[in-house]
Amino acid sequence: MIVVLLNAYIAILALFVWLRFIPFNTFWKLSPVVVLLVLLIGLFIPMGWGAPSGPAAVIRNSVQIIPSVAGEVVDVPIAANTPVKAGDVLLRIDPTTYQAQVTAIEAQLKLAELRLGQFSELQRRDTGRAFDVQERQSEVDQLKAQLDSAKWNLDRTTVRAPADGYVTNLALRKGARVTGQSPVMAFIDTSEAIFGIEIPQISVRYVGVGQPVEITFKTLPGEVFTGKVETVLQAIATGQSQPGGLAVMPSEVQAAPFIVRIKLDDLEVAKRLPAGSTGLAAIFTERVKASHVIRQVLLRQTAILNYVNPF
C-alpha cells in the first residue's frame, strides 16, 4: 500500500512538472523521499497499534463422548458429519444386565417395604421392638439408593448428544464393546463458534473490549464482516506454569502473539463457517485513526485475493 501511495504521488508530481505548475528543482526531486519517510513514520508504522491485524480462525468446542457404563453397542443411529440436536441418541448399549439389576432391586425393595410395614404394625400394637423397625427402615433406604443407582446406569445405556452439533470421524459400529474409560467418538459442538485473532504483542497494547473489528475468511472470499472485541485472553502457553517434581526448566523465550476473541455482528455467519476456517482480521483502536482507512483498504484487497490465493 505504501508503494501505491508513493507511486501515486510521483505520478502527480510528474504531471505537475510537465504542466509547469511547479519547477523541477532539487526540493521537488527529493520530495518523494520526504513523502516516503512521512508515510512510513507517520502512518504505516503507527498503524501496527492503531489498527492491528492478524490471522483469524474459527474454533468449535470438541467433546469426547465417553460412555458412563460398559457393554456391547447395539445401535449407532447417527451418521458422521450429519447435524444432530441436543438430546438426540448417539449410541445405545445393551441394557439387559442393567435392566436385570433394576428388576432385582425393585423386588428386594418391595419385600423390604412389606416387612417394614409388618414390623411397624407390631410396634403399634406394643408387640414389636423399635429396633426392628429401624433396622427394616435402614434396609429400605439402602435399597432405594441402590435402585436409584441402578436406574441411573440403565438410563446411561443410551448416550445422547450434549448439544447441537455433529459427530466427526465416526468409527464406532454395532457389536463393539465400550467401557467407561475410553472415548468412542468426537462430538463437535456447533451451538457456539469461537473467533480468535492472533495479534503481535507489540500491537496489542491498545486493544480493548468493544472495539470494532473487520474480518474476512478464505472460505467466503470477497466478503468482509464486522464485529466487536469480546475479550483479550490473559494467558498463553508460554506463560503457563504446570505442577511437577522438577525445577524450572529454561526454554527459548519468544514473543508469541496474544489471542483476541471477537464476536461477529451477524451471528448467522458462524453457522456458515466450518471449524478451522481461517482468515485475516483487523481491530480499530482509538489510536492513529488516520490509519484505519489504509487498513480497511488492505483488508478488502485480501478479501478479493482470497478468490485466487490458496495461502
Side-chain angles (χ1 to χ4, degrees):
M1 190 63 185
I2 191 172
V3 175
V4 174
L5 294 176
L6 185 60
N7 288 337
Y9 172 78
I10 294 175
I12 295 174
L13 177 63
L15 178 63
F16 283 4
V17 170
W18 181 70
L19 295 175
R20 300 184 182 276
F21 289 167
I22 57 176
F24 193 52
N25 53 28
T26 304
F27 172 78
W28 290 109
K29 289 179 181 179
L30 295 178
S31 64
V33 177
V34 176
V35 171
L36 176 62
L37 293 175
V38 171
L39 289 175
L40 186 64
I41 299 174
L43 188 61
F44 281 86
I45 292 178
M47 184 173 64
W49 62 80
S53 70
V58 180
I59 304 170
R60 298 190 187 278
N61 291 318
S62 176
V63 180
Q64 289 186 334
I65 302 300
I66 303 177
S68 299
V69 296
E72 181 182 341
V73 176
V74 295
D75 187 22
V76 183
I78 60 168
N81 303 311
T82 301
V84 296
K85 297 293 185 181
D88 287 353
V89 176
L90 300 181
L91 67 108
R92 291 186 176 91
I93 300 172
D94 187 0
T96 303
T97 56
Y98 299 101
Q99 180 62 60
Q101 291 177 2
V102 171
T103 303
I105 296 174
E106 285 178 339
Q108 295 175 20
L109 178 60
K110 184 177 180 179
L111 177 60
E113 290 176 337
L114 178 62
R115 297 297 299 273
L116 174 61
Q118 292 173 345
F119 278 97
S120 298
E121 182 64 24
L122 291 175
Q123 184 186 16
R124 284 194 294 269
R125 296 180 180 179
D126 293 331
T127 58
R129 299 181 302 172
F131 173 79
D132 294 331
V133 175
Q134 295 171 354
E135 186 176 28
R136 295 303 173 184
Q137 182 64 58
S138 175
E139 183 181 356
V140 168
D141 293 340
Q142 292 179 22
L143 289 172
K144 285 183 177 180
Q146 294 176 18
L147 181 60
D148 290 340
S149 177
K151 286 183 176 180
W152 185 89
N153 288 335
L154 177 62
D155 180 68
R156 290 305 184 273
T157 58
T158 300
V159 180
R160 302 182 182 275
D164 293 349
Y166 59 89
V167 173
T168 185
N169 194 25
L170 179 61
L172 186 67
R173 294 295 183 269
K174 179 181 177 180
R177 181 170 181 82
V178 297
T179 64
Q181 290 80 33
S182 301
V184 296
M185 59 180 67
F187 182 85
I188 307 301
D189 183 357
T190 59
S191 61
E192 180 185 17
I194 300 173
F195 296 88
I197 310 172
E198 289 187 352
I199 301 296
Q201 293 189 20
I202 193 174
S203 303
V204 79
R205 49 186 150 171
Y206 299 123
V207 174
V209 176
Q211 292 175 344
V213 176
E214 289 189 346
I215 185 170
T216 180
F217 297 99
K218 291 286 187 181
T219 52
L220 300 174
E223 298 186 64
V224 177
F225 305 97
T226 59
K228 293 287 191 299
V229 173
E230 191 173 26
T231 184
V232 180
L233 302 190
Q234 296 300 308
I236 57 177
T238 306
Q240 183 179 6
S241 177
Q242 297 181 349
L246 300 176
V248 175
M249 180 178 295
S251 61
E252 184 178 354
V253 178
Q254 297 180 346
F258 285 141
I259 305 300
V260 178
R261 182 170 174 174
I262 68 171
K263 183 177 182 180
L264 296 185
D265 295 332
D266 186 0
L267 299 180
E268 294 299 319
V269 176
K271 300 179 181 179
R272 301 165 54 192
L273 294 168
S277 298
T278 59
L280 183 69
I283 302 173
F284 302 101
T285 70
E286 301 300 324
R287 304 298 181 103
V288 200
K289 292 188 177 182
S291 66
H292 293 184
V293 176
I294 304 298
R295 182 65 77 188
Q296 289 174 333
V297 173
L298 292 174
L299 192 66
R300 281 153 180 78
Q301 289 178 348
T302 302
I304 296 173
L305 290 175
N306 284 339
Y307 281 107
V308 295
N309 184 10
F311 304 104

